[in-house]
Amino acid sequence: MEPDRWLGVELRHLAALEAVARLRSFSAAARELGYTQSAVSQQIAQLERVVGVRLVERPGGPRSVDLTDAGELLLRHADAIVAQLAAAQADMAALAEGAAGPLRVGIYQSVGARILPALLRRFREDWPLVDVQVREETEAAELLRLLERGELDLTFADLPLPEGPFESAEVLRDPYVLLVSSRSELAGHVAAPQLRQLSGVPLITWRHLSEPETYLRGRVPDLNVVFRTDDNGTLMGLVAEGLGAAVVPRLVVNPRNTALTALPFGTRIPPRHISIVWHRDRYRSAAAEAFVELARELGEDYVQRVSESSSASAASTSRPRGR
């Protein structure tokens, strides 16, 4: 049987077959589908011509109609196709309401480790039909290029944004810390030393020239970068082994890693401003708007938790110890 003959199968043919099989009557199927009995009979006949075999036994008179073996076989496929069509109809209605469809989001490593897991879990509870597709890049500049080309719907990025068709909402302000091994002499301090005291200290930083390194140049005499990497895990592993220190945003630091100590700079280094960005000239769905608002909410929660943790740590450090 030539495959292209099957292109003549129409959904109305399969719907008629399903109704006739279920109701075992051409007239009853016609009433349910809103057709005349002759129209239903013609649709079944057309379907039989396309597939090349008889599908329905027509006993005539008042007796019920039955499917042939071929009809039963085709019905199994017809049921799945009609059900899939109904599901597609529901999905399209949800898409029109902004409650379904893909949502493509760009992230970088620290957001992926600290913000994204809770964000996805909470978002999926409220928007179960939205397929969140995550794209990770090491540089926010690449994520913004993807957003501008329409390959992303939203992306996380640092402020200020470059020139472009972008609008954004701030998610959190992420202060910088000096990350040292917990075995380091500095680990007992409550804060990072003065910038000039970092002169000659071995530093581990990112492969691309990052914001903290740019800020430290000219402020730290003899800036001593000994290793560069694009992976946060590698950076933290090297610091944990005492091979250098690192100036990183607090969001990079895993608070459960007891091999590391994060010493705050306070206001001596301006914090990183993390935002979520969208293309101002493209349609933003209700799901995308909800994702932005939830990201902001979780950003505020993260800042509050860090503040409470820092206050508790400072109180513990300043508390006199008994002998």
Side-chain angles (χ1 to χ4, degrees), residues 251-270:
L251 200 64
V252 169
V253 182
N254 183 351
R256 297 185 180 87
N257 190 341
T258 57
L260 297 169
T261 298
L263 304 174
F265 281 100
T267 59
R268 284 173 287 161
I269 299 180

Side-chain angles (χ1 to χ4, degrees), residues 75-92:
L75 178 64
R76 291 201 294 270
H77 295 283
D79 284 341
I81 292 169
V82 171
Q84 193 66 38
L85 180 64
Q89 183 180 12
D91 284 350
M92 290 299 289

Side-chain angles (χ1 to χ4, degrees), residues 75-315:
L75 178 64
R76 291 201 294 270
H77 295 283
D79 284 341
I81 292 169
V82 171
Q84 193 66 38
L85 180 64
Q89 183 180 12
D91 284 350
M92 290 299 289
L95 179 61
E97 296 171 0
L103 181 63
R104 302 162 299 170
V105 180
I107 64 165
Y108 37 78
Q109 289 181 66
S110 56
V111 169
R114 303 285 171 260
I115 300 296
L116 186 68
L119 179 55
L120 287 181
R121 177 182 58 79
R122 291 272 301 275
F123 183 79
R124 284 171 177 169
E125 290 174 357
D126 296 333
W127 300 83
L129 297 179
V130 175
D131 177 24
V132 181
Q133 302 169 2
V134 179
R135 171 77 174 263
E136 181 180 293
E137 295 289 342
T138 56
E139 295 189 42
E142 175 60 20
L143 294 171
L144 290 172
R145 283 193 288 271
L146 293 170
L147 180 69
E148 188 169 6
R149 292 201 300 262
E151 295 180 39
L152 292 175
D153 301 304
L154 299 168
T155 188
F156 288 88
D158 293 352
L159 297 177
L161 298 174
E163 289 294 326
F166 307 125
E167 290 185 358
S168 66
E170 186 171 300
V171 173
L172 62 90
R173 297 186 181 187
D174 190 18
Y176 284 94
V177 298
L178 180 67
L179 194 63
V180 299
S181 168
S182 295
R183 302 192 302 271
S184 166
E185 294 180 359
L186 291 173
H189 294 203
V190 296
Q194 296 297 316
L195 295 183
R196 64 178 178 273
Q197 293 178 289
L198 296 179
S199 177
V201 173
L203 292 177
I204 299 165
T205 187
W206 289 286
R207 190 181 304 278
H208 61 281
L209 192 61
S210 59
E211 186 64 30
E213 184 178 343
T214 301
Y215 187 83
L216 295 177
R217 289 185 180 275
R219 292 178 172 85
V220 176
D222 188 23
L223 189 69
N224 183 23
V225 176
V226 296
F227 193 85
R228 295 182 181 276
T229 178
D230 286 330
D231 184 77
N232 290 348
T234 299
L235 181 146
M236 289 188 288
L238 293 170
V239 172
E241 291 300 325
L243 300 177
V247 178
V248 298
R250 184 184 290 275
L251 200 64
V252 169
V253 182
N254 183 351
R256 297 185 180 87
N257 190 341
T258 57
L260 297 169
T261 298
L263 304 174
F265 281 100
T267 59
R268 284 173 287 161
I269 299 180
R272 176 173 66 154
H273 294 241
I274 297 178
S275 65
I276 190 164
V277 190
W278 58 92
H279 196 298
R280 65 166 175 257
D281 298 326
R282 294 183 61 227
Y283 169 71
R284 188 157 57 112
S285 68
E289 293 178 358
F291 194 92
V292 169
E293 290 307 309
L294 184 56
R296 296 180 67 184
E297 178 185 330
L298 292 181
E300 292 175 0
D301 290 347
Y302 173 82
V303 171
Q304 181 65 28
R305 291 197 308 273
V306 167
S307 177
E308 292 172 354
S309 175
S310 298
S311 298
S313 176

